[in-house]
């Protein structure tokens, strides 16, 4: 008998959590609809309680709102707060944007090593912008030892996903033989892909 009672209790708890999750998702969607309509204050009303409760996507978008000054006074410190909370939960966009904040010293003291930390976490989840930025950190020796081969690795991962900046950067690596053997044909391949996406520098180099 106690076994059946425990199962019933667990089942009830599961459905309560499921219901709460569905309600949170509904509120988040309301916020997203308002955000996309430019009704930023309405989005904040929906997202703020969710963010306080630990809803990572709401935390990320609140960070973005304060980062860009959308419906509020721009506040990089507050943006960093929300990006950090989202990033620590594994939110890939939060990790990438937190990397940017440390990379450029916005809302925090510039710290290339911490930027690399967060870019890496996002890059390992397959986020192409983070992969390209991480490639740049290795290319320039910012926060890590300079390593052209590792730069090529990350540029390639991003370029293969269609990231135009990575395609351009990868073309340069092949053109100059940085981290790879010089290969004009491969350079042309990546310049062409970037050029076709509208990259003016790639068009000129091509």
């Amino acid at each position: 008998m106690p076994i059946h009672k425990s199962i019933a209790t667990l089942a009830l708890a599961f459905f309560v959590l499921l219901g709460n999750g569905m309600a949170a998702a509904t509120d988040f969607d309301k916020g997203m609809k308002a955000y996309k309509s430019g009704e930023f204050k309405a989005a904040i009303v929906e997202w703020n309680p969710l963010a306080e409760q630990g809803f990572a996507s709401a935390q990320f978008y609140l960070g973005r709102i304060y980062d860009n000054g959308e419906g509020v006074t721009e506040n990089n410190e507050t943006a960093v707060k929300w990006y950090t909370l989202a990033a620590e939960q594994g939110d890939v966009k939060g990790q990438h944007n937190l990397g940017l904040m440390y990379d450029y010293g916005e809302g925090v003291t510039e710290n290339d090593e911490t930027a690399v930390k967060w870019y890496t976490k996002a890059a390992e989840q397959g986020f192409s912008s983070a992969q390209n930025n991480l490639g740049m950190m290795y290319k320039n020796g910012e926060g890590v030892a300079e390593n052209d081969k590792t730069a090529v690795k990350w540029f390639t991962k991003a370029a293969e996903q269609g990231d135009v900046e990575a395609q351009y950067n990868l073309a340069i690596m092949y053109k100059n033989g940085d981290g790879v053997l010089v290969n004009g044909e491969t350079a042309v391949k990546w310049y062409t892909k970037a050029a076709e996406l509208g990259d003016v520098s790639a068009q000129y180099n091509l």
Side-chain angles (χ1 to χ4, degrees):
M1 190 68 178
I3 293 176
H4 292 293
K5 186 176 181 181
S6 297
I7 292 173
T9 302
L10 287 171
L12 177 61
F14 171 78
F15 284 115
V16 168
L17 288 171
L18 181 62
N20 289 341
M22 292 175 66
T26 299
D27 291 342
F28 178 78
D29 289 342
K30 288 180 183 177
M32 182 58 71
K33 184 177 180 180
Y35 182 82
K36 289 181 177 179
S37 299
E39 299 171 8
F40 302 120
K41 291 183 179 179
I44 291 170
V45 169
E46 296 293 342
W47 287 338
N48 199 69
L50 297 177
E52 294 287 356
Q53 293 168 30
F55 198 80
S57 294
Q59 292 169 339
F60 165 74
Y61 276 101
L62 277 184
R64 182 168 165 175
I65 279 175
Y66 281 99
D67 191 358
N68 297 331
E70 297 171 323
V72 294
T73 302
E74 184 178 326
N75 188 319
N76 290 330
E77 288 81 6
T78 302
V80 167
K81 166 193 166 182
W82 290 117
Y83 284 153
T84 301
L85 290 171
E88 288 174 345
Q89 293 196 70
D91 184 273
V92 66
K93 293 180 181 178
Q95 291 170 343
H96 171 254
N97 284 20
L98 187 57
L100 286 173
M101 301 303 270
Y102 278 100
D103 194 353
Y104 293 99
E106 295 180 347
V108 288
T109 301
E110 184 177 333
N111 188 319
D112 289 340
E113 290 183 2
T114 305
V116 167
K117 167 189 170 181
W118 290 111
Y119 284 152
T120 301
K121 287 181 179 293
E124 289 175 345
Q125 291 197 65
F127 197 66
S128 64
S129 295
Q131 291 170 338
N132 176 67
N133 289 348
L134 186 57
M136 289 300 299
M137 301 301 273
Y138 277 100
K139 173 62 180 170
N140 297 328
E142 296 173 338
V144 287
E146 184 177 330
N147 189 320
D148 286 342
K149 288 185 178 180
T150 304
V152 167
K153 166 191 166 182
W154 289 113
F155 287 150
T156 301
K157 288 180 179 292
E160 289 175 345
Q161 293 193 68
D163 187 288
V164 64
E165 292 183 4
Q167 291 171 345
Y168 176 79
N169 290 336
L170 188 56
I172 290 176
M173 301 298 275
Y174 277 101
K175 178 179 180 292
N176 296 334
D178 294 332
V180 288
L181 294 175
V182 171
N183 190 319
E185 290 183 3
T186 304
V188 167
K189 167 189 169 182
W190 290 112
Y191 276 143
T192 300
K193 288 183 179 292
E196 289 174 346
L197 290 172
D199 188 284
V200 176
S201 296
Q203 292 168 353
Y204 176 81
N205 287 3
L206 187 59

